[in-house]
Amino acid sequence: MSIDSKINILLVDDRPENLLALEAIIEHEDYNLVKASSGEEALKCLLRHDFAAILLDVQMPGIDGFGTAKIIKAREKTKNIPILFITANNMDSEHIFTGYSLGAIDYILKPLEPTILKAKVERFIEIYKLNQQLRQQAAILTEKTKELEKANVELSNLTSQLRISEALANVISETSIDTMIVIDESGRILKVNPAIKGMFQYHEHELIRKSVLELFLGEESTNYIKSLLNTIKNVSYLSGHDNLEEIKATRKDGTVFPAEIQIGKRYVQDRCLIAVTIRDISKKKHDQEKITHMAYYDSLTELPNRRLFNEKLTFMLNKGRQSNQPLAMMYLDMDRFKYINDSLGHIVGDKLLLEIAKRLSATARAQDLVARLGGDEFTILLPDTDRESALELAETILEVYKEPFFIDNYELYMTTSIGISVFPYDGEDAQVLMRNADAALYRAKEQGKNRYKVFHSGMNIQSYKNFILRNDLRKAIEREELSIVYQPRVDIETGKVRNAEALLRWNHPNWGPVSPAEFIPLAEESGDIMAFGDWVLKSVCLQNKAWQQAGYAPIQISVNFSAQQFLQKDLVGRIQQILKETELGPEWLEIEITESTILGNEEIITRTLNQLRKWGIRVSIDDFGTGYSSLSYLMRFPVHTIKIDRSFIRDISKDASHSQTLISSIISLAHGLHMSVVAEGVETEEQLDFLKKYQCDEAQGYLFSPPVPAAEFEAFLVPALSKTTNRKGIIRFEKKEKSNKGELTSGHVEASGGFSSASLLDAALLRTEQLYAISSREMDVFKLLVNGLSNKEISDVLFISEHTVKNHITRIFQKLAVNDRLQAMAKVYQTCIEEGENLKA
């Protein structure tokens, strides 16, 4: 077939890939496909060719599909060419009627369905061929008689009716999942789409000419539809966007489902058409309800969660205020539940929590609210309940807990601690009532668990402090309230400091410095000890690496590990990771554990210790001698160092004490097992002499230095300090004693070289005075300061006020560029060492 005899079809789309797709779908030997990439190009093509149909993209740059269609319909030559709009837009009523008002014959949505598109195009071609035949017949009929002219008129009427019928047939999208209905102004159904079957169970023919009210049988829904139909009669235009409404729809079998209904009104050739779109929102409603349930209920126990509990608490408090009725609150925490998780696993733990929730719900009254706040914490709100009634329920709960819980193959016995507060006596708002119930719970835990306590204003201040500390523990790292201090371990033979112990400190913003004996047990109980341990280990490794990079001689730092930390899974891997991150060699880290850590965990401990030894990390046993079976553990475990507990060191000087025998035995045994020994808590010369006599390796205590911050500890890291010794290297600072004349005699620093300590110190002080331009009055203060006198003692000796002493010391520190006494003394003894070297030379 020649090109001239082929049927022209115009394809308009600004995207080449879409044009290729259209061409591939409708390609036919009888068709001549003309492609245009814009509305402007399409209009030029219409000037050159006659087309049987136009496939027109709606969204294009420049003149879009609607604008192009408007121009096509405005021209006499092209106004009758059928237009098939191709669009990616959703087929809402406004979009549909906009296209039809411009003369569109049909719509098709992207992505294209080849079968539908091809069928529609073939139909247009059939119409085109029919119109061609009609035009040929019309030319013949003009030459016929009036009888033939009458037939032509009838044919024109038939064509008009065909257009109306075709418009009705294409109003509803065949591919929509929503039910789409065309009705007239009285509500009679003229046309439905296939989705009606799946949504309402009706076949299409069952609803034609029926009232749309057949689909909305409920009174509320029927009244709404009737009201809507009355409104439609009184308006000439209804967009469909502003009348979305949720109502109940009814299926053929009588079942009801929630639906959204949207109505739009248009006039087509003076005939009113009303498009009704119905969407089944059952799944949407179900999803909303599910989301709401997830937001307000615990996923494990199905009890109300913290969010719903807080809302109910506020509601009940308001109701209690209005009715002047009390409201009791119980705060429950399962005793030792963490050990269930640790020993039997979280699956068993979750099953146990579920049974606990069921037992609490069964014990509580119908009007009570049982909620799970998280973990093993539960609350019960008791409306219209006084203190006595709350106590009765608490006793009942403790009683029902005496029955075991059967979980899988385990028979578990659990106890709980309960804190109780009562509105309005223990608090008039939710926050105060909750806090006081929590405080009472903590008191119950503190007094031995498996009991209840009622809050009262006279609760022990220490209990309150512990309660506050427990709550603030997790914030301590984030708020930078934690710090680390370092206490040197002195080599008794050489006097050098090659080791130090890192100790954790907490400066609470309200309670001030908190003793580790207070907050470490709280951290272990709450589980925060793991986070604390990681923070300490990483901080110590970073600090040690920083000292090495600053040029100080390398030093080994020991870090204390609690039993929980040391028994955690992949401990060695975690330590290796931190060493890798901080780039610190493992030989500069020592792990300290207590004997209690070893008890009952021999297999795990042995494996972990061997891994640490293989990696090059040293391990020491802290507080040695205070545990059980100490000697057997020494022989069985690969330990490098033992630290003799300070309690034995303290009793060395007591005549009736057996500490001397015990200490000498421990040192001898440890050396026989190739272990080093550190004595803790050394505070006197007598203790040091005894330890030196029995060849103890290292000493640690206030005789040498208390634990000090990193900046002050740097004084012990000066390499030259190791050259000046007292007792072959030990440096200490002693007070001068007053003579009968009120003068001071110098304390002494014995040196292995045999020089006079007094002369070395005097030379060092003179040298310091000259180097830093210290005045004579400042020097008087400085000499006393170096000999260890306090500000008050210096004030008494020099007959000046303590304020003046403080001012002198401040100026001395400024000149020496130091921050404290320890650094000042270190500077003097640095000079002392240099003077000693000069004397030797």
Side-chain angles (χ1 to χ4, degrees):
M1 182 181 289
S2 65
I3 293 179
D4 294 337
S5 62
K6 289 185 177 182
I7 298 172
N8 294 325
I9 301 174
L10 180 59
L11 311 179
V12 188
D13 197 302
D14 61 309
R15 303 187 66 172
E17 63 270 27
N18 290 342
L19 290 174
L20 287 173
L22 290 171
E23 183 179 15
I25 292 170
I26 65 175
E27 185 177 21
H28 193 278
E29 61 179 5
D30 293 338
Y31 303 162
N32 177 36
L33 304 180
V34 180
K35 293 176 283 186
S37 60
S38 65
E40 294 87 344
E41 187 177 351
L43 294 175
K44 292 178 181 179
C45 292
L46 287 166
L47 296 175
R48 298 192 296 268
H49 304 284
D50 293 325
F51 292 94
I54 301 174
L55 277 61
L56 181 58
D57 184 25
V58 173
Q59 294 180 323
M60 295 187 298
I63 304 177
D64 64 7
F66 288 151
T68 304
K70 188 174 180 180
I71 296 172
I72 292 171
K73 292 301 179 180
R75 295 180 58 206
E76 186 65 24
K77 182 182 178 181
T78 58
K79 68 180 182 179
N80 293 323
I81 302 175
I83 298 175
L84 174 62
F85 276 127
I86 299 174
T87 179
N89 290 333
N90 293 326
M91 295 192 62
D92 53 63
S93 300
E94 184 175 6
H95 188 81
I96 292 170
F97 286 118
T98 299
Y100 286 125
S101 65
L102 294 173
I105 296 300
D106 206 347
Y107 272 86
I108 189 164
L109 293 176
K110 297 178 182 178
L112 301 173
E113 177 59 45
T115 304
I116 295 176
L117 176 60
K118 192 170 184 180
K120 289 181 181 293
V121 171
E122 288 175 353
R123 188 172 182 188
F124 290 149
I125 297 305
E126 291 174 2
I127 294 173
Y128 173 77
K129 290 179 178 179
L130 179 60
N131 287 335
Q132 290 289 79
Q133 293 174 4
L134 290 175
R135 281 195 289 271
Q136 293 173 3
Q137 291 175 4
I140 296 172
L141 288 175
T142 54
E143 301 174 0
K144 301 296 181 180
T145 60
K146 291 181 181 180
E147 189 175 33
L148 294 177
E149 289 177 352
K150 182 180 179 180
N152 189 46
V153 171
E154 291 175 351
L155 182 59
S156 296
N157 292 336
L158 182 61
T159 303
S160 178
Q161 292 176 5
L162 180 61
R163 288 177 180 172
I164 294 174
S165 176
E166 188 173 346
L168 289 173
N170 289 288
V171 165
I172 303 172
S173 171
E174 296 291 339
T175 58
S176 174
I177 62 172
D178 297 332
T179 292
M180 303 184 72
I181 306 173
V182 178
I183 61 175
D184 60 18
E185 288 182 303
S186 66
R188 288 183 306 166
I189 298 175
L190 304 177
K191 184 72 175 177
V192 297
N193 73 334
I196 194 80
K197 180 68 171 64
M199 189 178 296
F200 285 94
Q201 302 171 351
Y202 287 102
H203 291 284
E204 297 179 46
H205 68 272
E206 294 181 273
L207 293 175
I208 300 301
R209 311 302 296 176
K210 297 287 183 66
S211 172
V212 73
L213 294 174
E214 295 271 347
L215 306 176
F216 306 95
L217 298 182
E219 181 179 356
E220 185 177 347
S221 300
T222 300
N223 291 337
Y224 172 75
I225 295 298
K226 288 179 178 179
S227 173
L228 196 58
L229 290 173
N230 288 332
T231 301
I232 289 174
K233 291 179 181 179
N234 299 321
V235 297
S236 59
Y237 174 84
L238 195 63
S239 68
H241 290 293
D242 303 325
N243 55 83
L244 190 65
E245 186 71 20
E246 179 183 328
I247 62 174
K248 298 292 184 181
T250 307
R251 299 186 181 92
K252 185 178 180 179
D253 63 3
T255 56
V256 177
F257 64 94
E260 283 180 348
I261 181 171
Q262 193 172 27
I263 295 183
K265 178 181 179 180
R266 290 291 188 278
Y267 283 91
V268 178
Q269 295 186 354
D270 298 328
R271 185 175 181 181
C272 178
L273 296 178
I274 301 169
V276 181
T277 302
I278 303 169
R279 174 167 294 170
D280 185 348
I281 58 171
S282 300
K283 186 177 185 303
K284 176 182 175 182
K285 297 281 286 186
H286 175 74
D287 291 344
Q288 289 176 342
E289 291 170 359
K290 186 176 181 180
I291 291 171
T292 301
H293 185 82
M294 291 171 63
Y296 286 97
Y297 289 87
D298 176 52
S299 60
L300 174 64
T301 63
E302 293 297 321
L303 291 178
N305 62 10
R306 186 182 295 273
R307 183 197 299 268
L308 183 56
F309 167 78
N310 288 334
E311 291 185 6
K312 291 291 186 181
L313 175 57
T314 302
F315 172 78
M316 290 183 182
L317 284 174
N318 291 334
K319 187 176 180 180
R321 292 188 189 98
Q322 294 170 2
S323 59
N324 197 28
Q325 296 293 336
L327 170 68
M329 176 192 294
M330 287 186 177
Y331 201 152
L332 299 88
D333 186 85
M334 304 304 111
D335 298 330
R336 292 174 290 275
F337 178 80
K338 184 178 183 297
Y339 295 101
I340 299 294
N341 272 343
D342 291 345
S343 58
L344 302 182
H346 287 277
I347 295 177
V348 173
D350 286 348
K351 290 181 179 180
L352 178 58
L353 286 174
L354 184 57
E355 293 303 315
I356 288 171
K358 291 178 181 178
R359 193 170 292 189
L360 287 177
S361 299
T363 307
R365 305 167 303 180
Q367 68 269 32
D368 299 336
L369 177 74
V370 182
R372 182 190 179 204
L373 300 190
D376 60 340
E377 295 181 349
F378 295 82
T379 56
I380 305 178
L381 292 180
L382 310 168
D384 194 12
T385 303
D386 57 18
R387 182 175 276 108
E388 292 303 318
S389 299
L391 294 181
E392 291 177 5
L393 181 59
E395 290 176 353
T396 303
I397 292 174
L398 294 180
E399 188 67 27
V400 300
Y401 264 75
K402 292 180 180 179
E403 295 296 323
F405 292 89
F406 295 96
I407 308 296
D408 295 340
N409 296 323
Y410 301 103
E411 182 178 344
L412 305 176
Y413 286 87
M414 290 294 297
T415 60
T416 184
S417 300
I418 306 173
I420 303 173
S421 60
V422 181
F423 165 84
Y425 315 108
D426 302 326
E428 296 190 4
D429 61 59
Q431 185 176 3
V432 174
L433 202 65
M434 188 74 176
R435 183 174 68 241
N436 291 341
D438 197 7
L441 168 65
Y442 187 82
R443 184 67 179 275
K445 288 275 191 184
E446 189 180 49
Q447 293 188 358
K449 305 179 176 63
N450 191 27
R451 65 192 64 216
Y452 61 83
K453 285 294 176 183
V454 182
F455 177 82
H456 60 87
S457 57
M459 292 188 78
N460 184 279
I461 187 64
Q462 185 59 41
S463 298
Y464 178 73
K465 179 182 179 182
N466 289 344
F467 164 68
I468 295 297
L469 294 179
R470 184 182 64 171
N471 287 340
D472 290 347
L473 268 175
R474 295 183 180 179
K475 305 172 186 175
I477 295 177
E478 179 183 342
R479 293 176 176 175
E480 298 182 354
E481 296 168 0
L482 299 179
S483 61
I484 299 174
V485 293
Y486 299 86
Q487 187 172 33
R489 282 169 28 186
V490 177
D491 187 310
I492 295 177
E493 182 66 25
T494 66
K496 294 181 179 180
V497 176
R498 292 197 183 93
N499 304 76
E501 181 179 2
L503 300 165
L504 181 62
R505 297 290 183 262
W506 182 16
N507 187 26
H508 192 276
N510 298 322
W511 294 95
V514 183
S515 167
E518 283 187 88
F519 72 81
I520 293 298
L522 294 177
E524 291 179 334
E525 181 181 333
S526 65
D528 292 320
I529 192 66
M530 302 302 184
F532 277 31
D534 281 357
W535 183 85
V536 170
L537 183 59
K538 190 168 186 177
S539 299
V540 168
C541 292
L542 285 171
Q543 180 62 72
N544 202 356
K545 184 63 177 179
W547 280 331
Q548 293 181 13
Q549 291 174 336
Y552 293 113
I555 186 172
Q556 189 177 80
I557 306 293
S558 64
V559 179
N560 292 282
F561 272 59
S562 71
Q564 285 189 31
Q565 288 176 271
F566 200 76
L567 296 175
Q568 66 180 304
K569 294 180 180 179
D570 194 29
L571 170 68
V572 178
R574 181 65 187 143
I575 295 175
Q576 289 174 343
Q577 179 64 29
I578 291 176
L579 288 173
K580 183 178 179 181
E581 291 175 0
T582 58
E583 299 180 355
L584 181 71
E587 66 273 17
W588 305 117
L589 175 64
E590 182 178 82
I591 303 298
E592 286 193 21
I593 59 174
T594 61
E595 286 185 88
S596 60
T597 303
I598 299 175
L599 293 175
N601 302 290
E602 293 87 349
E603 183 178 348
I604 299 175
I605 293 295
T606 301
R607 183 169 61 251
T608 303
L609 290 178
N610 285 326
Q611 289 175 336
L612 291 173
R613 176 185 285 272
K614 182 178 180 181
W615 185 249
I617 299 171
R618 296 179 63 85
V619 177
S620 63
I621 301 296
D622 196 14
D623 300 335
F624 185 80
T626 60
Y628 305 95
S629 305
S630 304
L631 299 181
S632 64
Y633 283 130
L634 280 183
M635 293 183 287
R636 290 171 54 191
F637 293 110
V639 176
H640 302 86
T641 303
I642 61 173
K643 300 184 73 174
I644 302 175
D645 186 68
R646 65 183 67 249
S647 61
F648 299 110
I649 305 300
R650 184 173 57 246
D651 294 339
I652 285 178
S653 59
K654 295 181 180 179
D655 295 334
S657 172
H658 298 290
S659 292
Q660 293 185 3
T661 303
L662 181 60
I663 292 172
S664 61
S665 299
I666 291 174
I667 295 172
S668 176
L669 176 63
H671 287 168
L673 296 173
H674 305 291
M675 298 179 186
S676 61
V677 183
V678 179
E680 295 182 294
V682 178
E683 297 181 354
T684 67
E685 290 283 352
E686 182 183 0
Q687 294 168 351
L688 183 63
D689 289 340
F690 175 84
L691 294 170
K692 181 174 177 59
K693 176 181 177 181
Y694 287 96
Q695 298 180 336
C696 182
D697 299 289
E698 291 179 287
Q700 176 182 346
Y702 279 71
L703 179 64
F704 310 104
S705 171
V708 294
E712 296 181 28
F713 185 78
E714 289 179 0
F716 294 98
L717 300 177
V718 178
L721 281 176
S722 61
K723 297 178 182 178
T724 300
T725 62
N726 180 336
R727 296 181 177 271
K728 295 187 179 179
I730 301 172
I731 299 174
R732 294 187 305 286
F733 310 107
E734 301 179 0
K735 293 182 182 179
K736 294 182 179 180
E737 302 293 340
K738 283 187 179 181
S739 66
N740 293 335
K741 296 181 181 180
E743 298 178 352
L744 295 174
T745 57
S746 174
H748 61 280
V749 180
E750 298 177 358
S752 58
F755 299 110
S756 167
S757 300
S759 62
L760 281 177
L761 179 59
D762 290 339
L765 288 172
L766 179 61
R767 180 65 174 157
T768 302
E769 180 181 10
Q770 295 170 345
L771 284 174
Y772 299 102
I774 300 176
S775 68
S776 58
R777 193 55 171 166
E778 289 171 350
M779 205 62 204
D780 291 338
V781 173
F782 190 40
K783 288 178 181 178
L784 298 177
L785 181 148
V786 167
N787 281 276
L789 273 68
S790 67
N791 287 9
K792 186 177 186 311
E793 290 172 330
I794 296 174
S795 170
D796 293 340
V797 172
L798 298 179
F799 302 102
I800 57 178
S801 69
E802 287 188 55
H803 179 72
T804 302
V805 172
K806 185 177 180 181
N807 288 339
H808 282 311
I809 293 174
T810 299
R811 286 193 294 272
I812 293 169
F813 286 174
Q814 289 174 346
K815 291 179 179 181
L816 295 179
V818 297
N819 297 319
D820 51 43
R821 288 176 176 237
L822 188 61
Q823 292 179 351
M825 291 178 182
K827 210 147 201 173
V828 171
Y829 280 91
Q830 172 80 15
T831 308
C832 189
I833 293 167
E834 294 171 353
E835 291 297 323
E837 293 296 329
N838 292 335
L839 289 173
K840 285 182 181 180

